Amino acid sequence: MSETLHTPRIGIIGTGAIGGFYGLMLARAGFDVHFLLRSEFSAVSQNGLHIDSQVHGALSLENVQAYSSAADMPPCDWLLVAAKSTGTGGVAPAIVQAAAPGAKVLMLQNGLAVEDELRAVLPDSLHVLGGLCFICVHRTGPGQITHQAFGAVNIGYHSGPAPSDAASLGIVEQGAALFHAAGIESVAMANLGKARWQKLVWNVPYNGLSVLLNASTTPLMADPDSRELIQGLMAEVVQGAEACGHVLPEGYAAQLFKVTEQMPDYRPSMHHDFTEKRPLELDAIYAKPLAAALAAGCDMPKIRALYHALAFIDRQNRR
């Protein structure tokens, strides 16, 4: 049955802070949403999902359609993959089991080229898209999420059976429409690669420095030395993007810097991963951009130094 004739069924692969937030918002908007969980399956099945949002207020989804195995999920027209990029390889079997024929797989992950690894192990019949989440959100307990600010999702097409650029853009616009229906800002991006470099302008400095300096955004923005370091890292991302053929909008880094000055104090996702001794997303956020820029003739020495420091910290932290 065509999606034009029925409400699309949505599956959430990885119901953490990101998956839980967007899944709950879509379910509240009337969509048929199914959540795949691992360690929190029992808690969410019994107690539901709850969001303490400074934007939307207190939100709850009491009767969650929760699953501990993708094999038990019904075929989904859209699959939102919110698992960490460090575990992307392990989600492919779940996607194949939960995907309806011709399903759209939307990768809600940080970093560069996160779709490539998954594309190589998925059927050609599935569409793969990338989603850039601009949101301050984190877990506080099983099924408990705190949402501090923002929430937009920008979407671009990566690969799949779309027969033309117009068809792929149409699929991206369908995805954006899902979020719009849930009251979430979403933009259809014509160039996914460029969009991912734009997101790195924020993720590279703030994620890494939050771990290296053990600081949230407010103290990072208050100190002159960390401010200078942030701006230097941002400038290198912009240079790397340009070397790879993606000229970012004029003043984009300065705009993100200003927005961060004004937003609530926030600990980025990498800081939470470090605190909970989970693997840091170093490959997607640092190694792949460094390699892509270097292949294009552009070294990014500040980012390279940050990457090596974080790699050491990550290994020590998980011993």
Side-chain angles (χ1 to χ4, degrees):
M1 184 181 291
S2 168
E3 280 190 25
T4 59
L5 300 179
H6 80 296
T7 300
R9 180 183 288 138
I10 301 170
I12 307 296
I13 307 294
T15 308
I18 293 290
F21 175 81
Y22 290 114
L24 185 149
M25 294 294 287
L26 289 162
R28 282 172 53 87
F31 290 103
D32 184 17
V33 184
H34 300 260
F35 298 81
L36 181 64
L37 301 107
R38 290 187 298 177
S39 60
E40 298 187 4
F41 169 73
S42 295
V44 171
S45 296
Q46 296 171 15
N47 305 317
L49 280 170
H50 304 276
I51 299 175
D52 178 12
S53 173
Q54 296 181 21
V55 178
H56 306 287
L59 305 174
S60 294
L61 184 63
E62 301 294 346
N63 298 312
V64 178
Q65 299 185 104
Y67 307 82
S68 59
S69 171
D72 297 329
M73 297 174 70
C76 296
D77 304 297
W78 283 84
L79 288 169
L80 277 54
V81 180
K84 293 284 185 179
S85 63
T86 49
T88 294
V91 303
I95 292 171
V96 172
Q97 288 179 312
K104 290 82 175 174
V105 181
L106 178 59
M107 305 290 290
L108 300 179
Q109 294 180 331
N110 287 325
L112 191 67
V114 296
E115 299 84 8
D116 293 354
E117 179 184 352
L118 196 61
R119 175 75 276 173
V121 294
L122 289 182
D124 294 340
S125 60
L126 299 182
H127 303 270
V128 175
L129 299 86
L132 293 306
C133 303
F134 297 86
I135 187 169
C136 296
V137 66
H138 63 277
R139 283 177 62 262
T140 54
Q144 303 287 335
I145 299 165
T146 293
H147 173 221
Q148 293 176 264
F150 312 122
V153 182
N154 293 346
I155 304 174
Y157 193 85
H158 179 267
S159 58
S164 65
D165 289 343
S168 62
L169 183 58
I171 291 170
V172 171
E173 290 173 343
Q174 288 176 23
L178 297 180
F179 289 104
H180 289 156
I184 296 167
E185 181 183 349
S186 184
V187 176
M189 307 292 288
N191 187 324
L192 177 59
K194 180 177 179 179
R196 287 213 165 272
W197 275 101
Q198 286 182 233
K199 183 75 185 297
L200 286 168
V201 175
W202 197 93
N203 274 330
V204 163
Y206 292 103
N207 268 291
L209 293 179
S210 74
V211 173
L212 185 65
L213 304 179
N214 189 27
S216 52
T217 55
T218 295
L220 285 173
M221 297 303 291
D223 186 89
D225 287 306
S226 53
R227 285 172 66 89
E228 183 173 339
L229 184 52
I230 290 165
Q231 290 173 318
L233 291 164
M234 284 183 160
E236 285 193 352
V237 177
V238 172
Q239 292 164 5
E242 186 171 350
C244 293
H246 305 299
V247 178
L248 303 191
E250 184 71 26
Y252 185 76
Q255 176 191 350
L256 287 185
F257 191 81
K258 184 176 180 180
V259 166
T260 308
E261 282 186 310
Q262 299 169 348
M263 75 185 208
D265 189 27
Y266 178 62
R267 292 189 181 275
S269 60
M270 190 170 286
H271 191 279
H272 290 286
D273 290 339
F274 172 75
T275 301
E276 298 181 29
K277 297 188 180 298
R278 295 191 295 257
L280 305 184
E281 295 183 288
L282 301 183
D283 184 62
I285 297 178
Y286 296 97
K288 286 181 178 175
L290 281 165
L294 194 59
C298 176
D299 193 17
M300 301 184 290
K302 289 185 175 68
I303 297 174
R304 187 173 298 281
L306 177 57
Y307 167 59
H308 288 304
L310 290 169
F312 173 83
I313 290 171
D314 185 38
R315 283 190 293 270
Q316 295 295 310
N317 189 47
R318 292 191 289 122
R319 277 186 172 178

